[in-house]
Amino acid sequence: MVTLSEIRPGAYFDSIVLMQLQRSLMELEGVLDAGVVMATPANLSLLTERDLLTADGEAAGADDLLIVVRANDHEAASAALTQVDSLLERRRSAAGQSFRPRSLEAAAKALPEALWVLISVPGRFAAGVAQQALDLGKHVFLYSDNVSLEDEVRLKQRAVREGLLLMGPDCGTAIVAGIGLGFANRVRRGSVGLVGASGTGLQAVTSAIHNLGGGVSHALGTGGRDLKTEVGAATAHQALDLLQRDADTRVIVLVSKPPAPPVAARLLAAAHTADKPVVVSFLGYAAPGRKLDNLHFAASLEDAAALAVELAESPPPAKVEEAFAGPRRYLRGLFSGGTLAYEALQGLQTLLHPIFSNIPSEEEQRLVDSMQSRAHTILDLGEDEFTVGRLHPMMDNELRLQRLRKEAADPEVALILLDVVLGEGSHPDPASELAPAIAEISGRGDVAVAALVVGTDEDPQDLEAQIERLADAGALIFRTTGEAVEYAAQRLSREAAQESAQVPLHALEGPLAAINVGLESFSASLQAQGARAVQVDWRPPAGGDERLMGILERMKRARD
């Protein structure tokens, strides 16, 4: 047996092409084994494990193409290496694109109607290619992984400013105008639009929608890190806004692994402003319930698909109540019942941010000083810090009355939520003390007061009389925490519009045309679905020499 190697410096081919070439070499007469790789350290290790790495091959660099052939004899090995170029040319002819521009600029001239650029080059080059695509005013499907978080934030901030959609990095799946990008299933067109930080999650839900008889308008990927704190769901917000404005989309589905809590709150607050139902499938996320106004929380990916199909066939939701106007925008909850306070916090933290409490579910929600509220605040006034030397607030309203007047005097407070818990052992007539203070506040007209009344018609305080007196004082009456949370969410969770240019709706219009940089299979897939595509004959800049790349980039910035 003889093993021969050939190094082609700076010759770049994507992994699928290399795999096909390797398979073709192994089919040649006399060839026992073959390895065709870009000579990264990881790939060299794989060749070593297969006993294919020769001494000559060890000299290859990460941006070099390394071809190794093991054959019965020297003649067979040499003959195989001489056929590499013809095998590559045969594969290129089969791909059906005779002209391959060498740059994005040339590709854009060759296919001027292309609004999209698909990028699947090695991660250390991907940010640069994405930057070039944005320079050309193109939307980006960035499949490449191993892009730094700093580059992702920088690229997305620019895309948001310029009204361009950048899906990724590490975005595996999207469907735009019925055309699948990357790894996507073929599904019928319909009225369900999706935003997903999970590629396989998008595939699972879109496939299930199709199998249930529904259809997909668009499925927009964001990349797995988009809902992290550093990125702030930049792409998810853009995609949500696009689908909200898209006339073909009746229901929106959000799919992700657990997002950062503040990011989830802002995204769900934005979703809550939509005049369409939004199905939320955040795997592992502690949902506040099954439904919160137009938000529907799914227990699984399959459940998300079923909900979306059902909602797509239902009448559109009724218009939500108008938000509180002016500078008053915060909620203060003053509870005597600790469990009621915590239940309210769990529901409200879904949409309101920032929210603080003396019984936080997350440590960043903890009040520094329970005597001083911040932003949205939920207080359990029955905690030890408030009851030392005084009766529990279910029996004594004095502390709560003091806090009620203090919160009402805060110029940023719009809504105060109280619980009124009846029953044995509780204050014999809480409304007699609370109603005058509520009437005083409600009469001003700038702060609303809501009362969550817990009790039965057999309680000694007379449930109906308590409700009537509180309502006459101007209090909004709720009988469950869920009702109170939904009202507060409707009136307070209004996500401020991003200071950015909106992505124009024509980004979603067909027929789709795209430029592909990287995996040639993506280009072939687009063409097989009826889209127009041009494949760029991409090579690492400066032959992959990072020092020279830096010099060229500095020269470009100086020229620009």
Side-chain angles (χ1 to χ4, degrees):
M1 291 187 300
V2 174
T3 302
L4 298 181
S5 298
E6 181 179 327
I7 299 173
R8 299 193 174 190
Y12 173 80
F13 295 92
D14 72 57
S15 56
I16 293 179
V17 171
L18 299 182
M19 178 187 66
Q20 292 171 339
L21 175 58
Q22 179 175 297
R23 186 178 301 145
S24 296
L25 287 171
M26 292 176 67
E27 292 173 354
L28 296 175
E29 184 176 353
V31 174
L32 303 174
D33 201 356
V36 183
V37 298
M38 299 305 297
T40 64
N43 285 335
L44 293 181
S45 295
L46 291 175
L47 291 178
T48 300
E49 291 176 9
R50 294 169 57 191
D51 195 27
L52 283 176
L53 185 60
T54 64
D56 291 341
E58 291 178 354
D63 296 299
D64 297 337
L65 174 62
L66 176 59
I67 306 166
V68 185
V69 174
R70 173 173 292 156
N72 288 325
D73 51 43
H74 192 281
E75 183 179 0
S78 297
L81 290 176
T82 62
Q83 295 187 56
V84 167
D85 288 324
S86 62
L87 291 172
L88 285 171
E89 186 58 36
R90 192 182 310 163
R91 181 208 54 76
R92 175 166 292 188
S93 298
Q97 182 180 324
S98 56
F99 169 67
R100 295 194 174 201
R102 298 294 296 271
S103 69
L104 266 178
E105 290 83 357
K109 292 177 181 177
L111 190 62
E113 62 269 39
L115 298 178
W116 289 88
V117 174
L118 282 64
I119 301 170
S120 52
V121 301
R124 63 188 183 279
F125 305 114
V129 179
Q131 183 77 39
Q132 293 171 28
L134 295 177
D135 289 343
L136 294 169
K138 306 296 185 183
H139 306 291
V140 176
F141 176 83
L142 182 51
Y143 171 81
S144 305
D145 55 10
N146 293 312
V147 175
S148 74
L149 185 60
E150 293 76 14
D151 279 336
E152 177 173 356
V153 171
R154 175 179 58 82
L155 290 168
K156 288 189 172 181
Q157 286 177 346
R158 177 181 175 185
V160 167
R161 288 194 306 270
E162 298 182 7
L164 297 170
L165 194 63
L166 191 150
M167 298 191 285
D170 198 19
C171 182
T173 302
I175 300 173
V176 178
I179 303 296
L181 310 183
F183 303 117
N185 300 92
R186 295 203 178 186
V187 297
R188 73 177 61 85
R189 295 296 303 274
S191 57
V192 180
L194 299 96
V195 181
S198 166
T200 52
L202 276 183
Q203 286 192 267
V205 178
T206 54
S207 295
I209 289 170
H210 175 91
N211 294 334
L212 288 167
V216 173
S217 56
H218 312 279
L220 306 177
T222 68
R225 296 186 304 211
D226 191 68
L227 272 65
K228 288 186 174 294
T229 302
E230 297 87 346
V231 188
T235 302
H237 277 280
Q238 288 180 294
L240 178 65
D241 175 67
L242 261 178
L243 295 178
Q244 159 64 7
R245 291 184 284 122
D246 177 45
D248 293 332
T249 300
R250 294 190 60 188
V251 177
I252 301 171
V253 180
L254 302 178
V255 181
S256 175
K257 295 179 279 293
V263 175
R266 293 191 185 96
L267 183 60
L268 292 178
H272 186 237
T273 66
D275 57 9
K276 303 174 181 181
V278 179
V279 177
V280 181
S281 181
F282 290 163
L283 301 181
Y285 177 76
R290 183 66 171 170
K291 180 179 180 295
L292 185 56
D293 199 28
N294 70 319
L295 304 182
H296 301 257
F297 294 89
S300 65
L301 297 175
E302 294 77 10
D303 186 34
L307 272 171
V309 172
E310 177 185 346
L311 291 166
E313 298 172 353
S314 304
K319 182 174 172 48
V320 301
E321 293 211 34
E322 292 185 5
F324 290 110
R328 294 186 176 273
R329 61 189 186 278
Y330 289 132
L331 164 79
R332 301 290 159 79
L334 307 178
F335 286 82
S336 61
T339 300
L340 295 175
Y342 194 76
E343 184 182 22
L345 176 65
Q346 290 294 103
L348 290 167
Q349 70 183 4
T350 303
L351 297 173
L352 303 186
H353 180 82
I355 189 166
F356 298 94
S357 178
N358 64 330
I359 52 166
S361 59
E362 304 284 344
E363 192 55 34
E364 60 264 25
Q365 296 172 342
R366 186 174 298 280
L367 279 171
V368 176
D369 179 1
S370 296
M371 301 303 170
Q372 184 62 48
S373 298
R374 295 178 58 196
H376 301 290
T377 295
I378 300 294
L379 285 174
D380 173 13
L381 295 173
E383 280 286 282
D384 292 347
E385 60 191 310
F386 293 111
T387 57
V388 176
R390 68 170 67 243
L391 290 173
H392 192 278
M394 287 177 62
M395 295 179 282
D396 179 9
N397 286 305
E398 183 58 34
L399 176 62
R400 190 147 60 150
L401 287 168
Q402 293 175 14
R403 194 64 179 254
L404 175 62
R405 293 186 175 96
K406 177 181 179 180
E407 302 296 358
D410 187 329
E412 292 189 320
V413 171
L415 174 64
I416 300 173
L417 175 60
L418 309 169
D419 64 340
V420 180
V421 183
L422 309 180
E424 301 294 342
S426 293
H427 192 287
D429 186 12
S432 67
E433 297 181 353
L434 293 172
I438 292 172
E440 176 187 336
I441 296 167
S442 299
R444 291 167 25 193
D446 54 357
V447 179
V449 180
L452 167 60
V453 182
V454 177
T456 74
D457 58 359
E458 296 189 11
D459 285 329
Q461 293 89 349
D462 189 342
L463 174 65
E464 291 305 320
Q466 293 290 313
I467 289 176
E468 182 178 358
R469 187 161 186 180
L470 292 168
D472 287 346
L476 301 158
I477 304 299
F478 298 101
R479 298 304 311 280
T480 69
T481 308
E483 292 173 353
V485 165
E486 184 155 336
Y487 174 81
Q490 286 182 354
R491 301 299 302 277
L492 293 166
S493 68
R494 291 295 178 263
E495 179 74 0
Q498 298 183 79
E499 295 183 2
S500 61
Q502 281 189 318
V503 178
L505 277 170
H506 67 71
L508 302 180
E509 294 173 356
L512 187 135
I515 298 166
N516 187 56
V517 188
L519 293 170
E520 296 181 17
S521 59
F522 286 176
S523 185
S525 172
L526 291 174
Q527 293 169 343
Q529 295 175 78
R532 295 192 64 190
V534 60
Q535 176 72 34
V536 175
D537 191 11
W538 183 84
R539 295 288 183 271
D545 186 315
E546 295 191 6
R547 185 185 64 82
L548 185 54
M549 285 168 55
I551 294 172
L552 293 175
E553 179 61 26
R554 288 193 295 274
M555 291 173 61
K556 181 179 183 299
R557 286 199 298 265
R559 185 174 66 251
D560 294 342

